[in-house]
Amino acid sequence: MSVDSNRLDTLLKENRRFAPPEAFRAQANFNDPGIYERAAADPEAYWAEQAGNLSWFTPWDKVLEWNPPHAKWFVGGKLNAAYNAVDRHRQGPRKNKAAIIWEGEPGDSKVYTYDMLGREVDKAAHMLKSLGVKKGDRVTVYLPMIPELPITLLACAKIGAIHSVVFGGFAANSLRDRILDADSRILITADAGWRRGSLVPLKKNADEAVEGTSVDTIVVVPRVGEKAGVQLVEGRDHDWNALMAQQPATPFEAEPMDAEDILFLLYTSGTTGKPKGIVHTTGGYLVGANTSLRSVFDIKDEDVYFCTADIGWVTGHTYIVYGPLSAGATVVMYEGAPDFPDRDRFWDIVEKYGVTIFYTAPTSIRTFMKWGPQYVEKHNLSTLRLLGTVGEPINPEAWMWFHVHVGKEQCPIVDTWWQTETGCAMIAPLPGITETKPGSATRPVPGILVDVVDEQGNSVEPGNGGYLVIKKPWPSMLRTVWGDDERFRNTYFGKFEGIYLPGDGAHLDEDNYIWILGRIDDVINVSGHRIGTMEVESALVAHPSVAEAAVIGRSHDVKGQAITAFVTVKEGIEANDALVAELKQHVATAIGAMARPEEIIFTAELPKTRSAKIMRRLLRDIAEGRVLGDTTTLADPSVVEQLKTLYKD
Ligand code: 6R9
């Protein structure tokens, strides 16, 4: 197992502690430390109790059916996710409460109360139905961060269709792969999106992506308007507004879904070139999402909650849409970049709407650090009471900066470790109970049994590192990989029988706190985005000049990790700066801008083991300057040979 050794060095030196402020503890939803033990003694009873916070059409007969690696939760129960996220709040005192406060990048904004959101969701559900969408159909969604995105997801949930959101930063090829894998016949997109004042050509990408797929219907939200210059294809494309205007104003009856019916697919990168469609079901997922809003995020009716993620990733699914809305919260949703028009945009939003809970990524915090505290100090952030981070390990300096400059040393920080596959936060402090240590996600949340184990699967002693594992099923766990149960078994349950392997390394300290060390597989975490090395390698070798490519993640001050590609070119091709630029652009076009390599190093040969495995650890050492200084080419094969002698198979 190879993990980030720099991180291990820093975290072993970290000994600061932060107890929950007394005032926070006193008002917290979860403030009895006994909850951990009670949940551990009977996790099923704990989860059943939490499930009682949702509205069920039919109660479940059995909490858990566990046939490893397959779990069924709340067996026999029936509910609807959109009903829980919207309709039930329309009937009580939250009817006119703000559900979504949306801020567009150019400065436009909209507020949807629960009642207004409900009406839009109902209309969108009527619209999907009129387009022939039925329960169980997959709807691919490729939208910017505009209100129509959560509305579409909730409309799918309302009729029982399965949504598959593809992040708007993905290129046409990536979108096509996901459409094909999910076998969708309908795509919801926008004419274009705004990013730093420029247009993201979503419809253009969508036109390219649907060729050769079974998509016969595209609904286009006119976000940008004329400037986007898009054409609707007669018979295939529809204008969102025109369709919505034709729908009846009558309520749409929520489809009673079985707890185990699929709510959504979300594709994520793995160790092969093909992304996995992670399958989440309705009951367990919603119980997990809802519970963590109350426990980890201490959500209250008065809160104004702002999560800076994009709904194209799991964080946005759980912590912009299903978690906060099922808890009846007010959610702030922002469309654009943190530095548009200036570097204080997030703080401007916090002040403008009186945000109380702010959830972001370590890479953003490191960017704010680089920009300097003056942008934060321009604004009154006194409404903030709780901060959170997600997506990658946070380095203690970034944690402290967040604590001092944003939280003014008053706000607990919840560092939440979880994955697309886990559905909701698994390792995180309960802010009214758990003492925090900068850089540690602390301990598993109640009802989750996490451990750190050695190669044989034995628990390590405190003070040691190993594989992070989850030993018991939990409600919001993935159920399978769409269309590939074998891959589900092998990837997550193949190493240790009946035990979930997330693919992260971890260190357990003397207080049994967990420190995540990073991925142990071929997944790179660039600014919190998971990118498979194989995906980038496949894109590179698809270029006519490239013979072979090996891609690694090297540590990067702001992004956490950056992509370095080692490339051998074909006979007669000149490896020059122009080709570097061309290959970087080629990857961005094939996958999306977040996969653009930071650097490309040409080499006459790739270092391989005798069993022909690329020696990634060697390449990482080279990229991080431990072996060759700042060499940018490995042209001399004898250098590679010499290097190989430093490493064993
Ligand atoms: C929610 C999300 C999952 C991977 C995960 C791990 C890394 C996420 C983290 C963290 C350390 C945290 N990760 N949160 N590492 N501390 N608080 O990010 O899902 O995109 O599937 O990524 O991200 O490596 O395995 P996803």
Side-chain angles (χ1 to χ4, degrees), residues 94-116:
R94 291 180 183 139
K95 178 175 173 169
N96 296 318
K97 174 181 174 175
I100 297 178
I101 299 177
W102 174 79
E103 169 132 329
E105 193 187 77
D108 44 345
S109 67
K110 273 187 197 168
V111 179
Y112 291 82
T113 63
Y114 273 98
D115 198 45
M116 290 158 73

Side-chain angles (χ1 to χ4, degrees), residues 7 266-269 278 313-316 319 359 362 389-394 414-425 427-428 439-441 468 500 502-505 515-521 523 525 528-530:
R7 175 156 165 88
L266 188 58
Y267 286 84
T268 190
S269 293
I278 300 302
W313 307 107
V314 74
T315 304
Y319 294 112
Y359 189 31
T389 72
V390 60
E392 49 171 323
I394 184 164
V414 289
D415 172 357
T416 60
W417 176 88
W418 60 294
Q419 308 179 291
T420 306
E421 293 87 339
T422 69
C424 70
I427 306 175
S440 169
L468 183 71
Y500 175 80
D504 281 12
W515 300 72
I516 306 292
L517 298 174
R519 301 290 307 186
I520 53 171
D521 54 12
V523 172
N525 190 325
H529 302 325
R530 272 165 77 169

Side-chain angles (χ1 to χ4, degrees), residues 232-446:
L232 296 189
V233 175
E234 186 76 35
R236 184 194 71 179
D237 299 352
H238 306 267
D239 176 81
W240 168 285
N241 288 345
L243 286 185
M244 286 287 272
Q246 293 162 15
Q247 305 310 318
T250 48
F252 190 99
E253 193 74 30
E255 182 73 26
M257 301 294 283
D258 192 277
E260 284 298 325
D261 279 339
I262 300 176
L263 178 61
F264 66 85
L265 307 182
L266 188 58
Y267 286 84
T268 190
S269 293
T271 47
T272 73
K274 192 172 178 282
K276 299 174 280 209
I278 300 302
V279 173
H280 279 292
T281 57
T282 308
Y285 171 78
L286 206 61
V287 169
N290 178 270
T291 303
S292 56
L293 251 291
R294 292 177 290 106
S295 60
V296 177
F297 290 99
D298 191 46
I299 202 80
K300 303 278 168 37
D301 251 321
E302 310 72 59
D303 277 312
V304 179
Y305 164 99
F306 179 22
C307 166
T308 67
D310 192 291
I311 294 174
W313 307 107
V314 74
T315 304
H317 280 57
T318 305
Y319 294 112
I320 297 179
V321 184
Y322 291 108
L325 295 180
S326 73
T330 294
V331 181
V332 174
M333 175 177 169
Y334 170 56
E335 178 183 34
D339 54 351
F340 192 87
D342 204 353
R343 292 170 166 178
D344 65 341
R345 188 63 185 271
F346 284 177
W347 320 121
D348 184 56
I349 291 174
V350 169
E351 181 172 8
K352 184 169 169 190
Y353 300 115
V355 170
T356 59
I357 302 175
F358 179 71
Y359 189 31
T360 195
T363 184
S364 308
I365 298 168
R366 290 191 295 266
T367 306
F368 305 146
M369 286 171 77
K370 208 175 68 181
W371 291 342
Q374 65 277 21
Y375 295 102
V376 182
E377 283 155 11
K378 258 173 76 180
H379 294 277
N380 178 352
L381 307 184
S382 60
T383 50
L384 288 174
R385 67 182 195 92
L386 177 63
L387 306 176
T389 72
V390 60
E392 49 171 323
I394 184 164
N395 44 314
E397 311 86 87
W399 196 102
M400 286 305 299
W401 194 93
F402 201 31
H403 176 63
V404 171
H405 294 285
V406 180
K408 315 292 180 201
E409 302 182 48
Q410 304 295 313
C411 305
I413 296 179
V414 289
D415 172 357
T416 60
W417 176 88
W418 60 294
Q419 308 179 291
T420 306
E421 293 87 339
T422 69
C424 70
M426 298 278 107
I427 306 175
L430 297 185
I433 301 177
T434 319
E435 190 175 70
T436 54
K437 303 183 186 185
S440 169
T442 74
R443 52 188 301 193
V445 298

